[in-house]
Amino acid sequence: MSDEDAEKLFLQEKPTLALLFIGSMGKTYASVISKEIDSTFAHTTRILSKMEHSGLIRFTFEGRIKFVELTEYGKEVETALKEFRNIIAEGSPSRVECLKSGEEGQEEKGREGGETTGKEVEERGEETESENAKELDPLSVEILEKVRNLKNKIESIHREAVENGQSKEMVSRKLGPYSRDIKKLHSQIEKAETPVDETVDSALEETERLLESYLKSSIPENT
């Protein structure tokens, strides 16, 4: 893994949490890490695979149990992350003073200009969403678009089924094939040469849970 790839990996929350947790435990295993960082097992194994490839962790076996622990290089990165976290937590006095002054200025501006309208809030939200989208790399944007389109299709089919009172069996036949599409997207993420943004992982996991809930739900038969 190149320096750029490693940087992308640790600019994401869950890989950082995973490495710090492994360091605190000394030796642990994937399912425990998954629960600790509040991630699916599949997403956690992808994170660990990338960390192993970059030389941060190694896997060992004790009987049939597969453990994961930090390498010496991983411990160095752990120390650096802890120091960085402490610096951020403490904060710079000058920065705190600037923030305080800024907040006071905003309050004064608010009093002069009156209450913010709902439209202004909505426009700011759209601007933020647009800025976040620009920060994603091209591959993440591409896969995220596929995920969103897939989710829209699944929701549309389910909504139509509910409106028409279709049977559970009929809904399963219509929605079942989309499980393959989700697996293909998981495969694309796993095989990506550079780490895909965790926003994409989260969106895909949400879509997968949505599909599973629809397939398990019971829809009344036509009368």
Side-chain angles (χ1 to χ4, degrees):
M1 182 179 286
S2 66
D3 291 341
E4 183 179 352
D5 292 343
E7 180 179 323
K8 286 182 180 179
L9 183 64
F10 286 104
L11 284 177
Q12 299 177 35
E13 179 186 18
K14 293 191 187 299
T16 300
L17 292 175
L19 186 136
L20 292 173
F21 178 67
I22 295 168
S24 69
M25 296 296 290
K27 182 183 292 186
T28 184
Y29 39 95
S31 60
V32 176
I33 299 170
S34 176
K35 292 178 181 178
E36 178 65 24
I37 67 175
D38 191 25
S39 175
T40 64
F41 185 76
H43 186 199
T44 301
T45 55
R46 287 197 294 274
I47 291 173
L48 295 177
S49 176
K50 291 168 184 175
M51 290 170 66
E52 182 187 28
H53 184 64
S54 63
L56 294 164
I57 63 169
R58 59 172 166 263
F59 292 102
T60 58
F61 285 88
E62 292 184 9
R64 295 183 179 180
I65 302 177
K66 186 178 182 181
F67 286 96
V68 57
E69 59 187 350
L70 297 182
T71 60
E72 288 304 316
Y73 174 51
K75 292 176 182 177
E76 292 176 7
V77 173
E78 177 198 14
T79 300
L81 286 173
K82 285 181 177 178
E83 291 176 353
F84 177 71
R85 183 181 60 184
N86 291 338
I87 292 172
I88 295 298
E90 291 172 1
S92 166
S94 59
R95 180 174 180 275
V96 171
E97 186 61 34
C98 286
L99 288 173
K100 184 178 179 182
S101 299
E103 289 172 357
E104 291 173 350
Q106 287 295 331
E107 289 176 1
E108 183 64 30
K109 185 177 179 181
R111 284 193 293 270
E112 293 175 356
E115 294 294 329
T116 302
T117 66
K119 184 177 179 181
E120 289 174 337
V121 171
E122 183 178 346
E123 288 174 350
R124 289 175 187 173
E126 290 174 353
E127 289 174 0
T128 302
E129 184 176 346
S130 176
E131 289 173 0
N132 290 339
K134 292 176 183 177
E135 292 175 0
L136 296 179
D137 59 274
L139 179 59
S140 293
V141 171
E142 176 191 337
I143 299 177
L144 185 58
E145 184 66 22
K146 290 180 181 178
V147 172
R148 286 173 175 169
N149 289 338
L150 181 60
K151 182 181 179 183
N152 288 338
K153 288 180 182 178
I154 292 171
E155 289 178 329
S156 176
I157 291 172
H158 183 263
R159 183 167 55 250
E160 182 181 347
V162 172
E163 291 173 353
N164 296 332
Q166 295 176 349
S167 68
K168 182 178 179 182
E169 182 181 354
M170 178 64 72
V171 175
S172 295
R173 282 205 298 268
K174 289 184 175 181
L175 291 178
Y178 288 103
S179 295
R180 291 195 294 271
D181 294 322
I182 289 176
K183 287 180 180 178
K184 287 179 182 178
L185 290 172
H186 274 305
S187 179
Q188 185 177 358
I189 292 173
E190 290 173 0
K191 294 177 180 178
E193 294 182 359
T194 57
V196 173
D197 192 273
E198 65 179 17
T199 303
V200 181
D201 272 311
S202 297
L204 183 55
E205 289 168 10
E206 180 184 346
T207 301
E208 188 171 18
R209 288 194 295 270
L210 179 69
L211 178 59
E212 289 174 354
S213 70
Y214 285 165
L215 290 173
K216 291 177 181 179
S217 65
S218 178
I219 299 176
E221 297 282 343
N222 284 324
T223 56

